[in-house]
Amino acid sequence: MYFPKKSLRFISLFLFCLLLFIFFAIKLILIQVFNSSYLTKIADKQQTHVFNLDPKRGTIYDRKMRPLAVDVAAYSLYADPRRMGKSGAAKAAAVLPGILGISKSFFDDRLGRDKNFVWLARKLPVDKADEIRKLKIKGLHFVKESRRRYPGQYLAAHLLGFAGMDDNGLEGIELKYNRVLAGHSGVAQMLRDARQQDLLIEQILVHPQDGFDLVLTIDENIQYFAEEALQKGFAKHRPQSASLIVMNPKTGEILALVNRPTYDLNEFSQSREEQRKNHAVADMYEPGSVFKIVLASAALERGVVQETDKIFCENGEYRIANHILHDHQRHGTLTFREVMEQSSNIGVTKVAQKLGGGPVYDYALRLGFAKKTGIDIPGEVSGALKPTRFWSKTSIGAVPIGHEVGVTTIQLVCAISAIANDGVLMQPFVIKEIRDQKGEVIETFFPKIVRQAMDVTTARRVKDILTGAIERGTGKLGKMKDVLAAGKTGTAQKIVGGQYSHNQFYATFIGLAPVEDPKIAMAIVFDDPRGSHFGGTVCAPIFKEIAENVLKYLNAESTIGEKPEEQNAP
């Protein structure tokens, strides 16, 4: 049969269209039936954007609810190099280094990448973000975040620690209580347009839970007094390091904790490891004569010696086994009270020989040495004290005067606090309360008694002896005009290369005030001070300055809530 050419063309075209229709029909069926869920996911991904909602990190307050660490608004800058074009990238690379203080090569590298998203700077302050926005450079965008700020900069730096760029605590309380402060992230879904620009939040899938606030035992004003006084001493004597703690002896509350060297918490990335070290809890050293409070407590409570007993101090030289023990100045016969006031090594050693090493070791443990205090901040070390079975023939002349023993500043302040507190040793702590964002108290931390380290009478007798050490003895530079204080000085040779150095020392001082009703206890330690190296000349004046300021402040605070007639009463 013959078909015209036009008919053949029509039939061919019809068959082609039919086959094409069948192909698309099959393809459509495959897409709709077998690939629908996969393609739906792609569409959702293109039209919506799921992202985390950051919680607000909890605020850290001092005991009077003054903020020490807060979250503030910050903006992170990112770029879309593909949308910027060469001209936009060139403009951004030219102006951003001057605003952000980052090298031009950094921006040339980032903006030259073939990507839709690159970070340029994280957590910029509001003023920096506003300055960049005014440039109106295509392809530059911001993400609102928060950043940690420390209003006091250096204030209580080693106690607070800091949180890093991701808002996780990295040092100090920020690290120790990170889970309490951090909160939990939320999740939200945002709509996008065809150009992948975020439009608005469609729904919040999981609401963020803000972190809890911390209220510390620290008093911002007392911390400031301590920072200022220690800084002056640090500048004058140029030690390798220094530490200081002020504590409420009746409760164990830490009112101030200071270290030098220090650093700005807002610029922690520019600090060195040595600047960030919390020497008050992390350094162990031989305490020297401040450790004589252990011998005094044991000897008086065991009845081995009385305050008025006379002791011949050998005119400054005394042999123990193969070692010659010296005093810093020659003494003849002194009463035991005078032995402590003048810090005679020989007088103390003679009493220790009569007492025996066992009680010295026992009372050292009672006063909290050779064991961590349990303070609620990271980095604490336990110190060191050998059991008497490991003592050498000369240890009885070394341990009672503060050698062959390692202590920390926090242990020293706890020990002198026990004497101030009628022999009751308290556990030190810095966290007072945990509160939610509404100010409701979630948890309160109360004072904890560790033990009765000595009886009340013994503690008061030791306190009376230490009063003489400031009034008439080696701690006279710690004497205040209108307030009676008690304290003990200490000077110890450093061990360098396995031997005691003759030109490197630790200078220490422990004290309490006022004697009649102690409000504060203090421990001060200088590692290798220059010029003078004695605890009485280096540390005692710092104790005096801080104690005077703190007691005036506490007295003023105690009258704020009184009625007018009570304030004017005779």
Side-chain angles (χ1 to χ4, degrees):
M1 183 178 292
Y2 172 75
F3 292 96
K5 287 185 178 181
K6 290 184 178 180
S7 298
L8 288 174
R9 289 175 184 167
F10 174 78
I11 294 171
S12 299
L13 181 61
F14 174 78
L15 290 174
F16 175 77
C17 290
L18 179 64
L19 290 173
L20 192 63
F21 174 78
I22 294 172
F23 171 78
F24 282 119
I26 295 172
K27 187 70 174 176
L28 184 61
I29 292 172
L30 290 175
I31 291 173
Q32 291 291 337
V33 177
F34 297 102
N35 293 337
S36 61
S37 60
Y38 169 72
L39 294 173
T40 299
K41 289 180 181 179
I42 293 178
D44 288 341
K45 189 174 181 181
Q46 292 174 341
Q47 296 172 12
T48 62
H49 173 212
V50 177
F51 62 97
N52 289 333
L53 294 173
D54 291 333
K56 178 180 179 293
R57 189 172 178 86
T59 301
I60 301 177
Y61 296 97
D62 85 333
R63 65 187 300 115
K64 299 294 179 62
M65 299 304 294
R66 292 169 290 211
L68 301 175
V70 298
D71 261 19
V72 297
Y75 295 87
S76 292
L77 176 65
Y78 72 93
D80 180 353
R82 289 177 179 171
R83 292 194 64 217
M84 294 182 76
K86 291 184 179 180
S87 61
K91 181 179 179 181
V95 297
L96 291 180
I99 298 173
L100 301 178
I102 303 174
S103 67
K104 185 176 182 299
S105 60
F106 170 83
F107 293 104
D108 287 336
D109 172 62
R110 290 296 178 98
L111 298 175
R113 298 177 185 180
D114 185 22
K115 291 185 176 182
N116 291 111
F117 182 97
V118 289
W119 281 118
L120 297 182
R122 295 292 305 280
K123 300 193 175 183
L124 298 173
V126 175
D127 59 335
K128 293 285 187 183
D130 288 342
E131 188 176 356
I132 294 172
R133 284 193 183 97
K134 291 177 181 178
L135 299 174
K136 296 182 179 180
I137 299 176
K138 183 180 179 180
L140 290 184
H141 306 281
F142 288 94
V143 175
K144 186 177 181 180
E145 297 185 285
S146 62
R147 64 183 301 186
R148 204 64 163 162
R149 299 298 294 173
Y150 302 91
Q153 296 179 289
Y154 301 90
L155 197 75
H158 302 88
L159 189 63
L160 295 173
F162 53 84
M165 190 63 68
D166 58 357
D167 260 3
N168 279 322
L170 300 177
E171 295 276 359
I173 289 172
E174 292 275 28
L175 171 63
K176 178 81 172 182
Y177 287 87
N178 186 61
R179 294 182 64 181
V180 175
L181 292 162
H184 300 282
S185 297
V187 179
Q189 181 173 281
M190 181 173 284
L191 292 177
R192 284 176 167 174
D193 62 16
R195 295 183 178 181
Q196 300 294 291
Q197 299 295 308
D198 292 336
L199 298 176
L200 50 83
I201 292 179
E202 183 183 37
Q203 61 176 321
I204 297 178
L205 306 178
V206 178
H207 285 270
Q209 297 180 20
D210 292 339
F212 292 139
D213 297 335
L214 293 181
V215 181
L216 306 187
T217 61
I218 295 297
D219 187 294
E220 185 180 53
N221 288 332
I222 296 176
Q223 180 74 30
Y224 178 78
F225 296 148
E227 297 262 6
E228 286 289 291
L230 191 66
Q231 179 59 38
K232 285 190 286 187
F234 188 78
K236 179 179 180 180
H237 296 287
R238 308 184 311 281
Q240 292 183 25
S241 65
S243 60
L244 182 157
I245 300 176
V246 183
M247 185 167 124
N248 182 336
K250 298 175 183 178
T251 64
E253 292 172 293
I254 301 299
L255 303 176
L257 185 151
V258 188
N259 291 281
R260 287 297 183 272
T262 188
Y263 64 106
D264 185 345
L265 288 169
N266 296 315
E267 304 292 341
F268 67 86
S269 61
Q270 300 178 19
S271 63
R272 303 185 309 275
E273 183 178 352
E274 175 61 21
Q275 292 175 288
R276 299 192 301 270
K277 187 175 183 182
N278 190 349
H279 299 280
V281 299
D283 278 0
M284 180 179 71
Y285 49 86
E286 291 193 346
S289 294
V290 293
F291 201 71
K292 291 172 182 175
I293 62 171
V294 174
L295 181 279
S297 302
L300 290 172
E301 189 153 287
R302 295 293 182 92
V304 170
V305 69
Q306 303 296 319
E307 290 88 336
T308 56
D309 287 353
K310 294 183 178 181
I311 302 165
F312 179 52
C313 296
E314 306 291 339
N315 295 316
E317 292 187 4
Y318 183 57
R319 177 177 291 276
I320 299 178
N322 61 346
H323 176 69
I324 301 296
L325 183 65
H326 295 90
D327 276 338
H328 65 282
Q329 65 182 58
R330 295 177 181 273
H331 295 293
T333 299
L334 300 174
T335 64
F336 180 65
R337 178 186 294 277
E338 292 169 335
V339 164
M340 291 294 294
E341 291 175 355
Q342 302 303 320
S343 201
S344 168
N345 293 332
I346 294 171
V348 166
T349 297
K350 282 193 169 185
V351 175
Q353 288 176 318
K354 188 176 181 181
L355 176 67
V360 174
Y361 179 77
D362 178 44
Y363 276 76
L365 298 184
R366 289 192 190 190
L367 284 167
F369 295 107
K371 184 179 180 181
K372 292 181 181 180
T373 65
I375 188 171
D376 45 353
I377 53 177
E380 184 183 13
V381 298
S382 60
L385 177 60
K386 297 180 295 184
T388 52
R389 65 180 180 274
F390 297 116
W391 285 21
S392 68
K393 292 181 179 180
T394 59
S395 292
I396 195 64
V399 175
I401 65 173
H403 287 289
E404 296 185 16
V405 56
V407 306
T408 62
T409 309
I410 187 64
Q411 288 174 338
L412 286 177
V413 78
C414 288
I416 191 63
S417 291
I419 292 171
N421 194 31
D422 284 342
V424 179
L425 181 68
M426 303 299 295
Q427 181 174 318
F429 67 106
V430 298
I431 306 299
K432 191 176 181 69
E433 292 175 346
I434 299 176
R435 300 189 178 196
D436 65 17
Q437 291 295 322
K438 295 180 180 179
E440 297 292 330
V441 177
I442 303 299
E443 186 174 2
T444 300
F445 298 87
F446 297 99
K448 294 180 181 179
I449 295 175
V450 178
R451 70 179 68 87
Q452 184 77 39
M454 65 193 77
D455 65 40
V456 175
T457 302
T458 301
R460 292 178 179 177
R461 292 169 71 187
V462 174
K463 184 171 64 173
D464 182 57
I465 288 174
L466 297 182
T467 303
I470 288 184
E471 291 294 305
R472 299 174 294 276
T474 57
K476 285 185 288 188
L477 293 180
K479 183 177 179 179
M480 291 175 275
K481 183 179 180 181
D482 299 318
V483 178
L484 194 62
K488 185 73 189 77
T489 62
T491 306
Q493 294 170 284
K494 289 186 66 172
I495 297 177
V496 180
Q499 295 183 333
Y500 283 108
S501 171
H502 293 289
N503 55 22
Q504 295 185 47
F505 301 86
Y506 288 108
T508 57
F509 185 90
I510 55 176
L512 59 93
V515 167
E516 60 274 14
D517 183 19
K519 297 289 194 306
I520 57 170
M522 203 180 312
I524 306 168
V525 180
F526 273 61
D527 178 356
D528 193 23
R530 301 299 175 180
S532 176
H533 60 265
F534 294 106
T537 54
V538 174
C539 301
I542 297 174
F543 167 81
K544 175 186 176 182
E545 179 180 342
I546 296 172
E548 286 177 337
N549 287 329
V550 170
L551 293 176
K552 287 178 183 177
Y553 168 69
L554 293 177
N555 289 336
E557 286 285 297
S558 67
T559 63
I560 289 175
E562 295 180 4
K563 297 178 182 178
E565 59 269 22
E566 291 177 335
Q567 295 183 24
N568 297 326

